[in-house]
Amino acid sequence: MTSTLTALLFLGLYLSQTTSTQKQILSKPIIWVKPNFMIPKGMPVLIWCQGTPEAIEYQLHLEGHLYAQQSPKQLERRNTVMFRIPKMTLLTAGQYRCFYRIKELWSKPSDPLDLVVTGMYDTPTLSVHPGNKVISGKNVTFSCRLDTATNKFFLLKEGRSSHPQHRYGNIQVEFPIGPVTTAHRGTYRCFGSYNNHAWSFPSKPVKLLVTEGVGDTSLVPTEHTSFSEPWDTYLLATEAEFQQAPAFWDHTAHNILQIGLAFLVLMALMCLLVDYWLCRKRIQEQANRASPQECRRRFRTQRTPGQMTKRCAGHS
């Protein structure tokens, strides 16, 4: 039993040390921007970074270089900080990542956040063929043209601006879509671009109307359809949009595991102590039983049996 408890104790200590080491690898923070990753030139933008409550410092990196850093200011929201870009320009557009620090240890980088500045070039024109009113099951083609030569075009659908389609071309490109369903209903715009982070002004909106054909069972999409792109209504993010961080729950899980392992080690130590006490008790009882026999052998050569009996009476 003792060997088993010893092995259990060492296993608990090993797992505790392993978990402590793994805990030193901090989970990556969450980064996001509101209201959109596309920001008109000259407009301000807020970037949020979310780590853990123990974080004492946050850093924001742009294209791999330090852009800004700050410490949490509100005790009740120590796992979130806000970085403000006063004016969006070509120099502030690009790929962002954030980090947080606990004591001397830095976290992994967040997932990349690509910010695009719009309004850098002329305005393209967008059209749809054969028309903006089609029956479901048919094919349509959006055509985007920008007289100022470019090398890439983007097509965005209202409510799905984070998933733009893109095509390469100099002056004009086409975006074939189909067979269409009522899920394709909505308002579309296109952009021209020289790189992934600097886009032209948006084209005028083109609304695609899809009517249900015979046997069409598709439903009208339930996605949000009020056009709230930054060039229409630019709403900055507020602290009321704070979200719970998965990183925080990961950190809590580590703490629970540490407590469980500590309890396991404590129970193993208690079992060892009980086993040791029982072993000492057995040895003492065996020693007490052996004492009268040893006494009789010691005084066997005594002249009178009465003396031996008297001396050994106290051991009986």
Side-chain angles (χ1 to χ4, degrees), residues 22 71 92 94 106 138 140 148 206 210 227-228 237 253 267-269 281 287 305:
Q22 291 177 345
S71 300
T92 56
W106 284 97
K138 300 295 183 178
V140 298
T148 303
V206 172
V210 180
F227 210 73
S228 57
M267 292 299 298
L269 288 173
K281 185 177 180 181

Side-chain angles (χ1 to χ4, degrees), residues 115-127:
L115 294 190
V116 173
V117 57
T118 62
M120 298 301 295
Y121 312 107
D122 293 337
T123 303
T125 57
L126 179 65
S127 59

Side-chain angles (χ1 to χ4, degrees), residues 295 299 302 306-315:
C295 182
F299 296 103
Q302 297 271 343
Q307 291 178 340
M308 181 181 66
T309 305
K310 184 181 297 183
R311 292 185 178 182
C312 293
H315 296 282

Side-chain angles (χ1 to χ4, degrees), residues 55-58 69-74 78 80-81 83 101:
I56 60 176
E57 183 182 358
Y58 288 81
Q69 61 184 12
Q70 64 173 289
S71 300
K73 294 181 175 59
Q74 296 184 356
R78 291 189 61 85
T80 305
V81 297
F83 296 95
R101 178 169 66 90

Side-chain angles (χ1 to χ4, degrees), residues 20-314:
S20 178
T21 302
Q22 291 177 345
K23 187 179 177 182
Q24 299 304 309
I25 303 176
L26 302 180
S27 57
K28 64 183 179 181
I30 301 174
I31 188 172
W32 75 93
V33 62
K34 288 290 185 178
N36 203 287
F37 74 97
M38 297 176 295
I39 303 97
K41 181 178 63 175
M43 297 296 292
V45 62
L46 301 180
I47 299 177
W48 299 78
C49 184
Q50 192 171 25
T52 64
E54 293 80 8
I56 60 176
E57 183 182 358
Y58 288 81
Q59 287 188 354
L60 183 66
H61 288 226
L62 171 60
E63 300 294 344
H65 301 284
L66 178 63
Y67 179 81
Q69 61 184 12
Q70 64 173 289
S71 300
K73 294 181 175 59
Q74 296 184 356
L75 295 178
E76 67 274 13
R77 294 182 182 175
R78 291 189 61 85
N79 63 333
T80 305
V81 297
M82 179 185 68
F83 296 95
R84 178 181 174 86
I85 301 177
K87 292 184 179 181
M88 195 65 183
T89 67
L90 187 61
L91 296 178
T92 56
Q95 188 174 93
Y96 288 84
R97 294 177 184 265
C98 70
F99 303 77
Y100 66 90
R101 178 169 66 90
I102 298 179
K103 295 183 179 179
E104 301 301 323
L105 189 64
W106 284 97
S107 71
K108 295 180 180 180
S110 66
D111 291 334
L113 172 67
D114 290 287
L115 294 190
V116 173
V117 57
T118 62
M120 298 301 295
Y121 312 107
D122 293 337
T123 303
T125 57
L126 179 65
S127 59
V128 59
H129 304 280
N132 67 328
K133 296 181 180 180
V134 294
I135 300 175
S136 61
K138 300 295 183 178
N139 296 326
V140 298
T141 300
F142 285 94
S143 179
C144 185
R145 178 183 177 88
L146 183 62
D147 293 332
T148 303
T150 183
N151 58 13
K152 197 173 185 179
F153 291 84
F154 293 89
L155 179 68
L156 289 84
K157 180 180 180 290
E158 168 188 328
R160 296 183 60 85
S161 59
S162 60
H163 301 85
Q165 300 183 48
H166 69 271
R167 293 285 188 276
Y168 291 96
N170 293 323
I171 296 178
Q172 181 173 322
V173 296
E174 294 182 344
F175 295 90
I177 298 177
V180 298
T181 67
T182 51
H184 292 94
R185 292 172 178 169
T187 304
Y188 293 79
R189 297 178 186 252
C190 74
F191 297 80
S193 171
Y194 284 101
N195 62 62
N196 291 332
H197 300 107
W199 294 5
S200 69
F201 286 96
S203 67
K204 291 183 178 180
V206 172
K207 189 170 184 179
L208 181 65
L209 302 176
V210 180
T211 58
E212 296 182 4
V214 178
D216 185 9
T217 59
S218 59
L219 300 176
V220 176
T222 58
E223 63 177 342
H224 177 64
T225 56
S226 63
F227 210 73
S228 57
E229 305 300 346
W231 48 84
D232 283 347
T233 306
Y234 192 78
L235 300 177
L236 296 177
T238 63
E239 294 185 7
E241 293 167 324
F242 169 76
Q243 302 172 359
Q244 289 290 340
F248 170 76
W249 299 114
D250 292 342
H251 187 269
T252 303
H254 278 297
N255 289 340
I256 294 175
L257 181 59
Q258 286 287 89
I259 294 174
L261 289 175
F263 178 77
L264 177 64
V265 172
L266 179 62
M267 292 299 298
L269 288 173
M270 292 181 62
C271 291
L272 286 174
L273 290 175
V274 172
D275 184 68
Y276 175 76
W277 180 78
L278 292 175
C279 182
R280 288 291 301 272
K281 185 177 180 181
R282 286 195 298 268
I283 293 174
Q284 186 66 33
E285 290 176 351
Q286 293 174 359
N288 292 337
R289 287 196 298 268
S291 294
Q293 298 177 2
E294 181 180 354
C295 182
R296 291 188 180 92
R297 286 196 301 269
R298 183 180 302 173
F299 296 103
R300 227 182 331 192
T301 58
Q302 297 271 343
R303 282 185 296 176
T304 61
Q307 291 178 340
M308 181 181 66
T309 305
K310 184 181 297 183
R311 292 185 178 182
C312 293

